Amino acid sequence: MSQKNTDGKRSARERLQEQRRQEEARAKRKRTLIAAAVVVAVLGVGAGIAALVAGSTSGKAKKGAGPVAAPQGATGKDEVAIPVGHAAAKATLTVYEDFRCPACAQFELAFRDTVRDLEAKGKLKSEYHLVTLIDKNLRGTGSLNAANAAGCAQDAGKFAAYHDELYRNQPPETDDAFARKARLLELAGKVDGLVTPGFRTCVEDGRHDSWVKKSQDVFTAGHFAGTPTVLLNGKSVFGDPKNPLTPDKLRQMVEAAQKG
């Protein structure tokens, strides 16, 4: 075999080897690019899922009850009671009521002066539990919004005055007027010094909404018949047609508790 043929065969082999190396390099780069694309795609899907989960969680947080923000001075188990009167009073009037409830308004209008007088004399302490039965039964948010606003009034130290103003201006049961926060703020204007920027924000933001819902949960768990439920030192005293409560009877029972 001539040297020329040998050199030709060697050159051909070298060209073939170089071609194979280039093809292998291209194949390797292609595999690398494909692998990188897969990783990016997987990360993208993962990020998308994470975003969906985060969005879902965020949505739930907004729609959920959130942390319970009780009004200042709320007492009792779960802090769902708003106290009015002297803490040392021997008689405690516990009232479960709904600002949209007509029977609650009847009770308040009939007994308010007596209750406030006994509180002022240090003989009676009242504990108000605000619930949302009418919202549930007739739909709407008036019970919730009014109770939240009353909680905001408690923060301002003006719960009793605002509570009484709401009942003096209670709309018909089927009229969800208290759902309008502008109406609640308008009535707050009847209470001296209540409408402040802090109170307005509290009402508009529903700061105590979760607390009101907690109060309703406690009421439901108590298996009470309805609103108003009125207890004096733990004993039901209102709603029995055979033995109706009157302001005079309430005063006598409170006086008896002082002696006891």
Coordinates of all heavy atoms in Angstrom, one line a residue, residues 100-180:
R100 N -82.1 43.9 65.2 CA -83.2 43.8 64.3 C -84.5 43.2 64.8 O -85.5 43.1 64.2 CB -82.8 43.1 63.0 CG -81.8 43.8 62.1 CD -81.5 43.0 60.9 NE -82.6 42.9 60.0 CZ -82.7 42.1 58.9 NH1 -81.6 41.3 58.6 NH2 -83.7 42.1 58.1
C101 N -84.4 42.7 66.1 CA -85.5 41.9 66.7 C -86.5 42.8 67.3 O -86.2 43.5 68.2 CB -84.9 41.0 67.7 SG -86.0 40.3 68.9
P102 N -87.8 42.8 66.8 CA -88.8 43.6 67.3 C -89.1 43.3 68.8 O -89.3 44.3 69.6 CB -90.1 43.3 66.5 CG -89.5 42.7 65.2 CD -88.2 42.0 65.6
A103 N -89.1 42.1 69.2 CA -89.4 41.7 70.6 C -88.2 42.3 71.5 O -88.5 42.7 72.7 CB -89.5 40.2 70.8
C104 N -87.0 42.3 71.0 CA -85.9 42.9 71.8 C -86.2 44.4 72.0 O -85.9 44.9 73.1 CB -84.6 42.7 71.0 SG -84.1 41.0 70.8
A105 N -86.6 45.1 70.9 CA -86.9 46.5 71.1 C -88.0 46.7 72.1 O -88.0 47.7 72.9 CB -87.3 47.1 69.7
Q106 N -89.0 45.9 72.1 CA -90.1 46.0 73.0 C -89.6 45.9 74.5 O -90.0 46.6 75.4 CB -91.2 44.9 72.8 CG -92.0 45.2 71.5 CD -92.9 44.0 71.1 OE1 -93.1 43.1 71.9 NE2 -93.4 44.0 69.9
F107 N -88.7 44.9 74.7 CA -88.1 44.7 76.0 C -87.4 46.0 76.4 O -87.5 46.5 77.5 CB -87.3 43.5 76.0 CG -86.4 43.4 77.3 CD1 -87.0 42.9 78.5 CD2 -85.1 43.8 77.3 CE1 -86.2 42.9 79.6 CE2 -84.3 43.7 78.4 CZ -84.9 43.3 79.6
E108 N -86.5 46.4 75.5 CA -85.6 47.6 75.8 C -86.5 48.8 76.1 O -86.2 49.5 77.0 CB -84.7 47.8 74.6 CG -83.6 46.8 74.5 CD -82.6 46.8 75.7 OE1 -82.6 47.8 76.4 OE2 -81.9 45.7 75.9
L109 N -87.5 49.1 75.3 CA -88.2 50.3 75.5 C -89.1 50.2 76.7 O -89.3 51.3 77.4 CB -89.2 50.5 74.2 CG -88.4 50.8 72.9 CD1 -89.4 50.9 71.8 CD2 -87.6 52.0 73.0
A110 N -89.5 49.0 77.1 CA -90.3 48.9 78.4 C -89.4 48.9 79.6 O -89.9 49.4 80.7 CB -91.1 47.6 78.3
F111 N -88.2 48.4 79.5 CA -87.4 48.2 80.8 C -86.2 49.1 80.8 O -85.5 49.1 81.8 CB -87.0 46.7 80.9 CG -88.1 45.8 81.2 CD1 -88.9 45.2 80.2 CD2 -88.4 45.5 82.5 CE1 -89.9 44.4 80.5 CE2 -89.5 44.6 82.8 CZ -90.2 44.1 81.8
R112 N -85.9 49.9 79.8 CA -84.6 50.6 79.7 C -84.5 51.5 80.9 O -83.4 51.6 81.5 CB -84.5 51.4 78.4 CG -83.2 52.2 78.3 CD -83.2 53.0 77.0 NE -84.3 54.0 77.0 CZ -85.2 54.1 76.1 NH1 -85.3 53.2 75.1 NH2 -86.2 55.0 76.2
D113 N -85.5 52.3 81.2 CA -85.3 53.3 82.3 C -85.1 52.6 83.6 O -84.3 53.1 84.4 CB -86.6 54.2 82.4 CG -86.7 55.1 81.1 OD1 -85.7 55.3 80.4 OD2 -87.8 55.7 80.9
T114 N -85.8 51.6 83.9 CA -85.6 50.8 85.1 C -84.2 50.2 85.2 O -83.5 50.3 86.2 CB -86.6 49.7 85.2 OG1 -88.0 50.3 85.2 CG2 -86.5 48.9 86.5
V115 N -83.8 49.6 84.1 CA -82.4 49.0 84.1 C -81.4 50.0 84.3 O -80.4 49.8 85.1 CB -82.2 48.2 82.8 CG1 -80.8 47.8 82.6 CG2 -83.1 47.0 82.7
R116 N -81.4 51.1 83.6 CA -80.4 52.2 83.7 C -80.4 52.8 85.1 O -79.3 53.1 85.6 CB -80.6 53.2 82.6 CG -80.5 52.7 81.2 CD -79.0 52.3 80.8 NE -78.9 51.8 79.5 CZ -78.6 50.6 79.1 NH1 -78.4 49.7 80.1 NH2 -78.5 50.2 77.9
D117 N -81.6 52.9 85.7 CA -81.6 53.5 87.0 C -81.0 52.6 88.0 O -80.2 53.0 88.9 CB -83.1 53.7 87.4 CG -83.2 54.3 88.8 OD1 -82.7 55.4 89.1 OD2 -83.9 53.7 89.6
L118 N -81.2 51.3 87.9 CA -80.7 50.3 88.8 C -79.1 50.2 88.6 O -78.4 50.1 89.6 CB -81.3 48.9 88.6 CG -82.8 48.8 89.1 CD1 -83.4 47.5 88.6 CD2 -82.8 48.9 90.6
E119 N -78.7 50.3 87.4 CA -77.3 50.3 87.1 C -76.6 51.6 87.7 O -75.5 51.5 88.4 CB -77.0 50.3 85.6 CG -77.4 49.0 84.9 CD -77.4 49.2 83.4 OE1 -77.3 50.3 82.9 OE2 -77.5 48.1 82.7
A120 N -77.2 52.7 87.6 CA -76.7 54.0 88.1 C -76.6 53.9 89.6 O -75.7 54.5 90.2 CB -77.5 55.1 87.7
K121 N -77.5 53.2 90.3 CA -77.5 53.1 91.8 C -76.5 52.0 92.2 O -76.4 51.8 93.5 CB -78.9 52.9 92.3 CG -79.8 54.1 92.1 CD -81.2 53.8 92.5 CE -82.1 55.0 92.4 NZ -83.5 54.7 92.7
G122 N -75.9 51.3 91.3 CA -74.9 50.3 91.7 C -75.6 49.0 92.2 O -74.9 48.1 92.7
K123 N -76.9 48.8 91.9 CA -77.6 47.6 92.3 C -77.6 46.5 91.2 O -77.9 45.4 91.5 CB -79.0 48.0 92.7 CG -79.1 48.9 93.9 CD -80.5 49.3 94.2 CE -80.6 50.2 95.5 NZ -82.0 50.5 95.8
L124 N -77.3 46.9 90.0 CA -77.5 46.0 88.9 C -76.3 46.1 87.9 O -75.9 47.2 87.6 CB -78.8 46.3 88.1 CG -79.1 45.4 86.9 CD1 -79.4 43.9 87.4 CD2 -80.3 45.9 86.1
K125 N -75.8 45.0 87.4 CA -74.9 45.0 86.3 C -75.5 44.2 85.2 O -76.1 43.1 85.4 CB -73.6 44.2 86.8 CG -72.6 44.1 85.6 CD -71.3 43.3 86.1 CE -71.7 41.9 86.3 NZ -70.4 41.0 86.6
S126 N -75.5 44.8 84.0 CA -76.0 44.2 82.8 C -74.9 43.6 81.9 O -73.8 44.2 81.9 CB -76.9 45.1 82.0 OG -78.0 45.6 82.8
E127 N -75.2 42.5 81.3 CA -74.2 41.9 80.4 C -75.0 41.6 79.1 O -75.9 40.8 79.0 CB -73.7 40.6 80.9 CG -72.8 40.8 82.2 CD -72.2 39.5 82.7 OE1 -72.7 38.4 82.3 OE2 -71.2 39.6 83.5
Y128 N -74.5 42.3 78.0 CA -75.2 42.2 76.7 C -74.5 41.3 75.8 O -73.3 41.4 75.6 CB -75.3 43.6 76.1 CG -76.3 44.5 76.8 CD1 -75.9 45.4 77.8 CD2 -77.7 44.5 76.5 CE1 -76.8 46.2 78.5 CE2 -78.6 45.3 77.2 CZ -78.1 46.1 78.2 OH -79.0 46.9 78.9
H129 N -75.2 40.4 75.2 CA -74.7 39.4 74.2 C -75.4 39.7 72.9 O -76.6 39.6 72.8 CB -74.9 38.0 74.6 CG -74.3 37.6 75.9 ND1 -73.2 36.7 75.9 CD2 -74.5 37.9 77.2 CE1 -72.8 36.5 77.2 NE2 -73.6 37.3 78.0
L130 N -74.7 40.2 71.9 CA -75.3 40.6 70.7 C -75.3 39.5 69.6 O -74.2 39.0 69.3 CB -74.6 41.9 70.1 CG -74.4 43.0 71.2 CD1 -73.6 44.2 70.6 CD2 -75.7 43.4 71.7
V131 N -76.4 39.2 69.0 CA -76.5 38.0 68.1 C -77.1 38.5 66.8 O -77.5 39.6 66.6 CB -77.3 36.9 68.8 CG1 -76.6 36.4 70.0 CG2 -78.7 37.3 69.1
T132 N -77.2 37.5 65.9 CA -77.6 37.8 64.5 C -78.7 36.9 64.0 O -78.6 36.5 62.8 CB -76.4 37.8 63.6 OG1 -75.8 36.5 63.7 CG2 -75.3 38.8 64.0
L133 N -79.7 36.6 64.8 CA -80.7 35.7 64.4 C -81.5 36.2 63.2 O -81.9 35.4 62.2 CB -81.7 35.5 65.5 CG -81.2 34.5 66.6 CD1 -82.3 34.4 67.7 CD2 -80.9 33.2 66.1
I134 N -81.8 37.5 63.1 CA -82.7 38.0 62.1 C -81.9 38.0 60.7 O -82.5 37.7 59.7 CB -83.2 39.4 62.4 CG1 -83.8 39.5 63.8 CG2 -84.2 39.9 61.3 CD1 -85.0 38.5 63.9
D135 N -80.6 38.3 60.7 CA -79.9 38.1 59.5 C -80.0 36.7 58.9 O -80.1 36.5 57.7 CB -78.4 38.4 59.8 CG -78.1 39.9 59.9 OD1 -79.0 40.7 59.8 OD2 -76.9 40.3 60.2
K136 N -79.9 35.8 59.8 CA -80.0 34.4 59.4 C -81.4 34.0 58.9 O -81.6 33.4 57.9 CB -79.6 33.4 60.5 CG -79.7 32.0 60.2 CD -79.3 31.1 61.4 CE -79.4 29.6 61.1 NZ -79.1 28.8 62.3
N137 N -82.4 34.5 59.6 CA -83.8 34.1 59.3 C -84.4 34.9 58.1 O -85.1 34.3 57.2 CB -84.7 34.3 60.5 CG -84.4 33.4 61.6 OD1 -83.8 32.3 61.4 ND2 -84.7 33.8 62.8
L138 N -84.0 36.1 58.0 CA -84.6 37.0 56.9 C -83.6 37.4 55.9 O -83.9 38.1 54.9 CB -85.3 38.2 57.5 CG -86.4 38.0 58.5 CD1 -87.0 39.3 58.9 CD2 -87.5 37.2 57.8
R139 N -82.4 37.0 56.1 CA -81.2 37.4 55.2 C -80.9 38.9 55.5 O -81.7 39.7 55.9 CB -81.5 37.2 53.7 CG -81.7 35.7 53.4 CD -81.9 35.5 51.9 NE -82.1 34.1 51.6 CZ -81.2 33.2 51.4 NH1 -79.9 33.5 51.5 NH2 -81.5 31.9 51.1
G140 N -79.7 39.2 55.1 CA -79.2 40.6 55.3 C -78.0 40.7 56.3 O -77.5 39.6 56.7
T141 N -77.6 41.9 56.6 CA -76.4 42.1 57.4 C -76.7 43.1 58.5 O -75.7 43.6 59.1 CB -75.2 42.5 56.6 OG1 -75.5 43.7 55.9 CG2 -74.8 41.4 55.6
G142 N -77.9 43.6 58.6 CA -78.2 44.6 59.6 C -77.9 44.2 61.0 O -77.4 45.1 61.8
S143 N -78.2 43.0 61.4 CA -77.9 42.6 62.8 C -76.4 42.6 63.0 O -75.9 43.1 64.1 CB -78.4 41.1 63.0 OG -79.8 41.1 62.8
L144 N -75.6 42.1 62.1 CA -74.2 42.0 62.2 C -73.6 43.4 62.2 O -72.8 43.7 63.1 CB -73.6 41.2 61.0 CG -72.1 41.2 60.9 CD1 -71.4 40.6 62.1 CD2 -71.6 40.6 59.6
N145 N -74.0 44.3 61.3 CA -73.4 45.6 61.2 C -73.7 46.5 62.4 O -72.9 47.2 62.9 CB -73.8 46.3 59.9 CG -73.2 45.6 58.7 OD1 -72.4 44.8 58.8 ND2 -73.7 46.1 57.5
A146 N -75.0 46.3 62.9 CA -75.3 47.1 64.1 C -74.6 46.6 65.3 O -74.2 47.4 66.1 CB -76.8 47.0 64.3
A147 N -74.4 45.3 65.4 CA -73.7 44.8 66.6 C -72.2 45.2 66.5 O -71.6 45.5 67.6 CB -73.8 43.2 66.6
N148 N -71.7 45.2 65.4 CA -70.3 45.6 65.2 C -70.2 47.1 65.6 O -69.2 47.5 66.4 CB -69.8 45.4 63.8 CG -68.5 46.1 63.5 OD1 -67.4 45.7 64.0 ND2 -68.5 47.2 62.8
A149 N -71.1 47.9 65.1 CA -71.1 49.3 65.5 C -71.2 49.5 67.0 O -70.6 50.4 67.6 CB -72.2 50.1 64.7
A150 N -72.1 48.7 67.6 CA -72.2 48.8 69.1 C -70.9 48.4 69.8 O -70.5 49.0 70.8 CB -73.3 47.9 69.6
G151 N -70.2 47.4 69.2 CA -68.9 47.1 69.7 C -67.9 48.3 69.6 O -67.1 48.5 70.5
C152 N -68.0 49.0 68.5 CA -67.1 50.1 68.3 C -67.5 51.2 69.3 O -66.6 51.9 69.8 CB -67.3 50.7 66.8 SG -66.9 49.5 65.5
A153 N -68.8 51.4 69.6 CA -69.2 52.3 70.6 C -68.6 51.9 72.0 O -68.3 52.8 72.8 CB -70.7 52.4 70.7
Q154 N -68.6 50.6 72.2 CA -68.0 50.1 73.5 C -66.5 50.6 73.6 O -66.0 51.0 74.6 CB -68.1 48.6 73.6 CG -67.3 48.0 74.7 CD -67.8 48.3 76.1 OE1 -68.9 48.9 76.3 NE2 -67.0 48.0 77.1
D155 N -65.8 50.5 72.5 CA -64.4 50.9 72.4 C -64.3 52.4 72.8 O -63.3 52.8 73.5 CB -63.8 50.7 71.0 CG -63.6 49.3 70.7 OD1 -63.5 48.4 71.6 OD2 -63.6 49.0 69.4
A156 N -65.3 53.2 72.5 CA -65.3 54.6 72.8 C -65.9 54.9 74.1 O -66.0 56.1 74.5 CB -66.1 55.3 71.7
G157 N -66.3 53.9 74.9 CA -66.9 54.1 76.2 C -68.3 54.6 76.1 O -68.8 55.2 77.1
K158 N -69.0 54.4 75.0 CA -70.4 54.9 74.9 C -71.4 53.8 74.4 O -72.3 54.1 73.7 CB -70.4 56.1 73.9 CG -69.5 57.2 74.4 CD -69.5 58.4 73.4 CE -68.7 59.6 73.9 NZ -69.3 60.2 75.1
F159 N -71.2 52.6 74.8 CA -72.0 51.5 74.4 C -73.5 51.7 74.8 O -74.4 51.6 73.9 CB -71.5 50.2 75.0 CG -72.5 49.0 74.7 CD1 -72.5 48.4 73.5 CD2 -73.4 48.6 75.7 CE1 -73.4 47.3 73.3 CE2 -74.3 47.6 75.5 CZ -74.3 47.0 74.3
A160 N -73.7 52.0 76.0 CA -75.1 52.0 76.5 C -75.9 53.1 75.8 O -77.1 52.8 75.3 CB -75.2 52.3 78.0
A161 N -75.3 54.2 75.6 CA -76.1 55.3 74.9 C -76.3 55.0 73.5 O -77.4 55.2 72.9 CB -75.2 56.6 75.0
Y162 N -75.4 54.4 72.8 CA -75.6 54.0 71.4 C -76.5 52.8 71.2 O -77.4 52.8 70.3 CB -74.2 53.7 70.7 CG -74.3 53.4 69.2 CD1 -74.8 54.4 68.4 CD2 -73.9 52.3 68.7 CE1 -74.9 54.2 67.0 CE2 -73.9 52.0 67.3 CZ -74.5 53.0 66.5 OH -74.5 52.8 65.1
H163 N -76.4 51.9 72.1 CA -77.3 50.7 72.2 C -78.7 51.2 72.3 O -79.6 50.7 71.5 CB -76.9 49.9 73.4 CG -77.9 48.8 73.8 ND1 -79.0 49.2 74.6 CD2 -78.0 47.5 73.6 CE1 -79.7 48.1 74.9 NE2 -79.1 47.1 74.3
D164 N -79.0 52.1 73.2 CA -80.4 52.6 73.4 C -80.8 53.4 72.1 O -82.0 53.3 71.8 CB -80.4 53.5 74.6 CG -80.1 52.7 75.9 OD1 -80.1 51.4 75.8 OD2 -79.9 53.3 77.0
E165 N -79.9 54.1 71.5 CA -80.3 54.9 70.3 C -80.7 54.0 69.2 O -81.6 54.3 68.4 CB -79.1 55.8 69.9 CG -79.5 56.9 69.0 CD -80.5 57.9 69.7 OE1 -80.2 58.4 70.8 OE2 -81.5 58.2 69.0
L166 N -80.0 52.9 69.0 CA -80.3 51.9 68.0 C -81.7 51.4 68.2 O -82.5 51.3 67.2 CB -79.3 50.8 67.9 CG -77.9 51.1 67.4 CD1 -77.0 49.9 67.5 CD2 -78.0 51.6 65.9
Y167 N -82.1 51.0 69.4 CA -83.4 50.5 69.6 C -84.5 51.6 69.5 O -85.6 51.3 69.1 CB -83.5 49.8 71.0 CG -83.0 48.4 71.0 CD1 -81.8 48.0 71.6 CD2 -83.6 47.5 70.2 CE1 -81.3 46.7 71.6 CE2 -83.1 46.2 70.1 CZ -82.0 45.8 70.8 OH -81.5 44.5 70.7
R168 N -84.2 52.8 69.8 CA -85.2 53.9 69.6 C -85.5 54.1 68.1 O -86.5 54.6 67.8 CB -84.7 55.2 70.3 CG -85.0 55.3 71.7 CD -84.7 56.7 72.3 NE -83.3 57.1 72.3 CZ -82.5 56.9 73.3 NH1 -83.0 56.4 74.5 NH2 -81.3 57.3 73.3
N169 N -84.5 53.7 67.3 CA -84.6 54.0 65.9 C -84.7 52.6 65.1 O -84.3 52.6 63.9 CB -83.5 54.8 65.4 CG -83.6 56.2 65.9 OD1 -84.2 57.1 65.4 ND2 -82.9 56.5 67.1
Q170 N -85.1 51.6 65.7 CA -85.1 50.3 65.0 C -86.1 50.3 63.8 O -87.2 50.7 64.0 CB -85.5 49.2 66.0 CG -85.4 47.8 65.4 CD -86.0 46.7 66.3 OE1 -87.3 46.7 66.5 NE2 -85.2 45.8 66.8
P171 N -85.6 49.9 62.7 CA -86.5 49.8 61.5 C -87.5 48.6 61.6 O -87.3 47.7 62.5 CB -85.6 49.6 60.3 CG -84.4 48.9 60.9 CD -84.3 49.4 62.3
P172 N -88.5 48.5 60.7 CA -89.3 47.3 60.7 C -88.4 46.0 60.5 O -87.4 46.1 59.8 CB -90.2 47.5 59.5 CG -90.3 49.0 59.4 CD -88.9 49.5 59.8
E173 N -88.9 44.9 61.0 CA -88.0 43.7 60.9 C -87.6 43.3 59.5 O -86.5 42.9 59.3 CB -88.8 42.6 61.6 CG -88.0 41.3 61.7 CD -88.8 40.2 62.4 OE1 -90.1 40.3 62.5 OE2 -88.2 39.2 62.8
T174 N -88.5 43.5 58.6 CA -88.1 43.2 57.2 C -87.3 44.2 56.4 O -86.9 44.0 55.3 CB -89.4 42.9 56.4 OG1 -90.3 44.0 56.5 CG2 -90.2 41.7 57.0
D175 N -87.1 45.4 57.1 CA -86.3 46.4 56.5 C -84.9 46.4 57.0 O -84.7 46.7 58.2 CB -87.0 47.8 56.8 CG -86.2 49.0 56.2 OD1 -85.2 48.7 55.5 OD2 -86.6 50.1 56.5
D176 N -84.0 46.0 56.2 CA -82.6 45.8 56.6 C -81.8 47.1 56.6 O -80.7 47.2 56.1 CB -81.9 44.7 55.8 CG -80.6 44.2 56.4 OD1 -80.4 44.4 57.6 OD2 -79.8 43.6 55.6
A177 N -82.4 48.1 57.2 CA -81.8 49.5 57.2 C -80.4 49.5 57.9 O -79.6 50.3 57.5 CB -82.8 50.5 57.8
F178 N -80.3 48.7 58.9 CA -79.0 48.7 59.7 C -77.9 48.1 58.9 O -76.7 48.1 59.3 CB -79.2 48.0 61.0 CG -79.9 48.8 62.1 CD1 -80.4 48.2 63.2 CD2 -80.2 50.2 61.9 CE1 -81.0 49.0 64.2 CE2 -80.9 50.9 62.8 CZ -81.3 50.3 64.0
A179 N -78.2 47.5 57.7 CA -77.1 47.0 56.9 C -76.3 48.2 56.3 O -75.1 48.0 55.9 CB -77.7 46.2 55.7
R180 N -76.9 49.4 56.2 CA -76.3 50.5 55.7 C -75.4 51.2 56.8 O -76.0 51.8 57.7 CB -77.3 51.5 55.1 CG -78.0 51.0 53.9 CD -78.9 52.1 53.2 NE -79.9 52.5 54.1 CZ -80.0 53.7 54.7 NH1 -79.0 54.6 54.5 NH2 -81.0 54.1 55.5

